[in-house]
């Protein structure tokens, strides 16, 4: 643009100095010497995007966070096996004395997003599925009661109890969920307290108590002078979803620039298409900055839309105006995310491919740039 102005201005400025005398009837010195250039011109602006995986950095070295084939983030825990060996003495009691010490499964590192330390994001882990794999060489049916605690800052923050769990001979699995669903098989067992163990992720999970029981009929099938073995292993998996209460901010720069010496530019309009693939609504502000990175609060920003809805594509425009000269070196789109209450849970996953993409952007000058030909110009 500056090159065009350098070509235009010298030729235009020659006219007042040609000739030695001006007839008053043809005196052009009082004419308006303002010239409008580039009226209605569009300047392309490069595409921009911001992805949630870059905001939350969940793909660090977290052994318990995985992505499925669709890119959805999952919590997946494989706890160390617990091995028990004990005799079954004929005590006349249904309770079998089992040597047992509480066992901790410790999380070495947990992202703030899942630990509860990040108070701006609330995640939903209510679809947690816990699998208990048991291997028993007892030739009878035993019953087990167990208590699992969530430990935070050295204290129990949540507790989940399992009672009357049948332990049969051989290797098999039990499945536990935190809520009922018509989609679950009949053999899934509902434990309402289960979700509280994992949301937020604690410092550790503790198998704090274990009781083994066997009635008289089943005790008659075992040898009371023999050592028996039971081993069990817990695993847990849950999709990560945003929940109500989520409210966080993020920003992305837009490489639009109007760093001009010319006077008279009062209005510019940024046109853009926004593709929001997150299950979050976004409110936003657009700010202009000078070359030193200082925010220019004198520039007024007026969008023609109020928010960017979750899981939507839309087009819009943002008008920039100023009472002075409209000059800036960069733009930044500052956005605040919130979780709406009407998103289908099946689409509410936190996904590594989710984000906001701004495409088809252009900076439009509806009134062009006004140049005073008889004023000093710094364009040379």
């Amino acid at each position: 643009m500056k090159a065009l102005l350098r070509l235009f201005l010298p030729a235009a400025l020659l006219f007042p100095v040609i000739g030695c005398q001006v007839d008053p009837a043809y005196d052009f010195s009082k004419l308006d010497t303002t010239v409008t250039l580039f009226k209605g011109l569009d300047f392309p602006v490069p595409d921009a995007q911001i992805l949630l995986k870059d905001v939350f950095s969940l793909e660090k070295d977290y052994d318990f966070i995985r992505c499925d084939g669709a890119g959805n983030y999952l919590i997946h825990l494989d706890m160390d096996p617990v091995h028990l060996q004990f005799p079954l003495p004929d005590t006349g009691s249904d309770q079998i004395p089992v040597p047992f010490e509480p066992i901790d499964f410790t999380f070495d590192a947990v992202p703030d997003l899942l630990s509860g330390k990040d108070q701006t994001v609330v995640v939903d882990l209510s679809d947690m599925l816990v699998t208990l794999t048991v291997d028993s060489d007892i030739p009878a049916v035993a019953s087990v009661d167990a208590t699992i605690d969530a430990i935070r800052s050295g204290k129990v923050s949540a507790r989940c109890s399992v009672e009357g769990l049948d332990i049969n001979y051989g290797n098999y699995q039990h499945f536990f969920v935190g809520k009922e669903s018509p989609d679950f098989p009949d053999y899934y067992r509902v434990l309402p307290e289960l979700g509280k163990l994992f949301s937020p992720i604690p410092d550790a999970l503790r198998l704090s108590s274990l009781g083994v029981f066997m009635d008289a009929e089943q005790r008659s099938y075992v040898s009371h002078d023999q050592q028996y073995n039971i081993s069990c292993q817990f695993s847990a998996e849950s999709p990560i979803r945003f929940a109500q209460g989520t409210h966080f901010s993020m920003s992305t720069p837009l490489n639009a620039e109007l760093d001009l010496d010319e006077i008279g530019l009062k209005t510019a309009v940024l046109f853009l298409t926004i593709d929001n693939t997150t299950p979050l609504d976004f409110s936003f502000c657009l700010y202009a900055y000078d070359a030193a990175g200082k925010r220019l609060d004198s520039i007024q920003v007026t969008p023609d839309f109020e928010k960017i809805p979750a899981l939507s594509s839309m087009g819009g425009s943002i008008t920039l105006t100023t009472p002075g000269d409209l000059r800036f070196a960069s733009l930044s789109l500052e956005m605040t995310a919130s979780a709406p209450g009407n998103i289908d849970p099946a689409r509410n996953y936190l996904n590594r491919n989710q984000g906001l993409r701004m495409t088809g952007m252009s900076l439009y000058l509806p009134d062009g740039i006004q140049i005073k030909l008889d004023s000093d110009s710094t364009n040379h």
Side-chain angles (χ1 to χ4, degrees), residues 86-100:
F86 51 89
L88 298 175
D90 188 8
T91 62
S93 171
D94 288 353
Q95 184 167 3
I96 307 299
V98 176
F100 174 78

Side-chain angles (χ1 to χ4, degrees), residues 350-371:
L350 173 56
N351 186 288
R352 72 181 312 275
N353 302 313
Q354 289 172 345
L356 287 173
R357 292 172 175 84
M358 280 70 71
T359 59
M361 291 191 288
S362 65
L363 202 60
Y364 173 64
L365 308 183
D367 303 321
I369 300 172
Q370 285 76 48
I371 307 297

Side-chain angles (χ1 to χ4, degrees), residues 320-340:
L320 296 90
T321 57
T322 181
D325 293 336
L326 188 60
R327 303 173 187 171
F328 55 86
S330 63
L331 298 174
S332 179
L333 195 60
E334 310 285 333
M335 295 163 287
T336 301
S338 59

Side-chain angles (χ1 to χ4, degrees), residues 25-326:
Y26 300 97
D27 184 359
F28 296 109
S29 64
K30 295 182 172 53
L31 290 179
D32 184 1
T33 56
T34 300
V35 174
T36 298
L37 299 177
F38 309 118
K39 184 173 183 178
L41 190 65
D42 273 314
F43 292 92
V45 176
D47 294 347
Q49 74 171 9
I50 183 167
L51 299 178
L52 293 185
K53 72 180 183 70
D54 299 324
V55 176
F56 297 120
S57 301
L58 291 179
E59 297 184 31
K60 195 181 173 183
D61 296 329
Y62 299 116
D63 293 338
F64 59 92
I65 298 178
R66 299 180 179 179
C67 275
D68 64 14
N72 297 319
Y73 285 109
L74 306 172
I75 289 178
H76 184 92
L77 309 174
D78 285 316
M79 303 178 194
D80 295 333
V82 177
H83 301 285
L84 300 174
Q85 186 179 64
F86 51 89
L88 298 175
D90 188 8
T91 62
S93 171
D94 288 353
Q95 184 167 3
I96 307 299
V98 176
F100 174 78
E101 293 291 335
I103 300 170
D104 284 1
F105 177 87
T106 303
F107 298 93
D108 293 331
V110 181
D112 290 348
L113 169 69
L114 301 176
S115 68
K117 296 177 182 177
D118 183 351
Q119 299 298 314
T120 65
V121 179
V122 183
V123 295
D124 177 4
L125 303 179
S126 61
D127 283 346
M128 181 72 69
L129 171 64
V130 173
T131 302
L132 171 62
T133 303
V134 181
D135 192 0
S136 170
D137 66 2
I138 302 175
V141 178
S143 178
V144 169
D145 292 351
T147 301
I148 301 174
D149 293 333
I151 307 299
R152 295 179 65 84
S153 301
K155 298 180 180 179
V156 176
S157 60
R159 172 167 290 170
C160 181
S161 298
V162 183
E163 298 179 351
L165 185 66
D166 286 344
I167 302 297
N168 298 294
Y169 177 80
N171 184 280
Y172 53 93
Q173 291 182 318
H174 293 279
F175 301 93
F176 306 95
V177 292
K179 61 182 181 181
E180 301 225 13
S181 171
D183 299 328
F184 292 157
D186 293 340
Y187 53 82
Y188 277 27
R189 185 166 176 176
V190 178
L191 301 176
E193 305 91 355
L194 186 63
K196 297 177 183 178
L197 290 179
F198 297 94
S199 186
I201 297 293
D203 301 328
L205 290 175
R206 175 175 297 163
L207 182 59
S208 56
S209 69
L210 183 69
V212 180
F213 304 86
M214 188 178 295
D215 62 25
E217 179 183 358
Q218 296 300 319
R219 293 198 304 274
S220 68
Y221 300 141
V222 302
S223 299
H224 299 297
D225 58 353
Q226 181 177 336
Q227 295 277 345
Y228 290 99
N229 298 278
I230 293 179
S231 65
C232 59
Q233 183 177 17
F234 287 92
S235 64
E237 186 167 279
S238 174
I240 302 174
R241 294 190 174 100
F242 290 108
Q244 290 294 305
T246 291
H247 195 80
F248 65 92
S249 298
M250 60 186 192
S251 64
T252 184
L254 304 180
N255 294 323
E257 181 177 344
L258 280 179
D259 193 10
L260 306 174
D261 296 328
E262 293 81 19
I263 64 170
L265 179 59
K266 307 297 183 186
T267 304
V269 182
L270 178 69
F271 289 100
L272 72 168
T273 297
I274 304 172
D275 186 20
N276 180 9
T277 57
T278 76
L280 302 168
D281 290 338
F282 286 90
S283 57
F284 69 94
C285 291
L286 184 70
Y287 295 107
Y289 295 83
D290 64 16
K294 180 182 178 182
R295 198 170 85 183
L296 303 174
D297 292 327
S298 61
I299 295 179
Q300 305 300 312
V301 176
T302 307
D304 69 349
F305 53 95
E306 294 182 359
K307 69 176 182 178
I308 306 168
L311 301 169
S312 68
S313 293
M314 58 176 290
S317 66
I318 304 173
T319 301
L320 296 90
T321 57
T322 181
D325 293 336
L326 188 60

